[in-house]
Amino acid sequence: MNETLIAMRGITKFIYGSDGKPIRNTDVKILNGVDFDLAAGEVHVLVGENGAGKSTLMKILGGIIPPDAGELHIGGQKVDLLNARDAGKRGSPSSTRSSISAPTSTWRTTCSLAGNPGGIGSRMRPRCMNGARPCSRR
């Protein structure tokens, strides 16, 4: 079994009102108790309807927004990410759809964006580059 690099436990994010405060007296949440693990050498794809919370989960992982509840563990240590820079330093780089402008992106370009020196992205990049080549020939 591969080493778990990232573990998210019970991640919850509430919907916010026009006043910028979370609406906590509703049953509707963007994320409700989500658990997610990422082990060395794994590749995951998040699939879901628009508004399902895919981007929100990745923004939490990337330190862009905080969870309203739950825990994030990187390398076995519980962390509270302060911002995207803090996330990158801890090995959890972020690259959401809205932050990348690469309309003609190839698999090679996408893999090269994963390189954060010493972080999880840099450990995954060689696997990404090697794994993507056979698929690109199809």
Side-chain angles (χ1 to χ4, degrees):
M1 180 174 250
N2 291 339
E3 165 195 12
T4 298
L5 300 175
I6 293 174
M8 301 175 87
R9 296 285 173 261
I11 301 295
T12 299
K13 189 70 178 170
F14 292 96
I15 294 176
Y16 285 72
S18 59
D19 59 0
K21 295 181 180 176
I23 302 172
R24 296 187 180 196
N25 60 349
T26 178
D27 291 335
V28 181
K29 297 178 182 87
I30 298 170
L31 299 170
N32 188 11
V34 174
D35 292 339
F36 176 76
D37 290 322
L38 179 64
E42 291 182 341
V43 175
H44 293 264
V45 177
L46 296 177
V47 178
E49 301 268 345
N50 287 342
K54 304 174 298 292
S55 294
T56 301
L57 186 66
M58 292 300 98
K59 286 177 182 178
I60 290 170
L61 179 60
I64 297 169
I65 59 173
D68 291 322
E71 295 183 348
L72 173 61
H73 298 259
I74 298 177
Q77 301 292 317
K78 183 182 181 295
V79 297
D80 293 314
L81 300 175
L82 303 175
N83 52 42
R85 178 172 282 159
D86 183 38
K89 287 179 183 176
R90 294 173 185 262
S92 181
S94 175
S95 59
T96 62
R97 286 175 293 161
S98 58
S99 67
I100 295 178
S101 179
T104 59
S105 178
T106 64
W107 62 266
R108 188 179 303 274
T109 303
T110 303
C111 287
S112 71
L113 294 172
N116 173 28
I120 291 168
S122 64
R123 285 182 263 165
M124 290 174 58
R125 186 171 181 224
R127 291 182 188 96
C128 180
M129 296 298 281
N130 291 333
R133 281 189 190 106
C135 296
S136 69
R137 292 187 193 122
R138 292 183 196 156

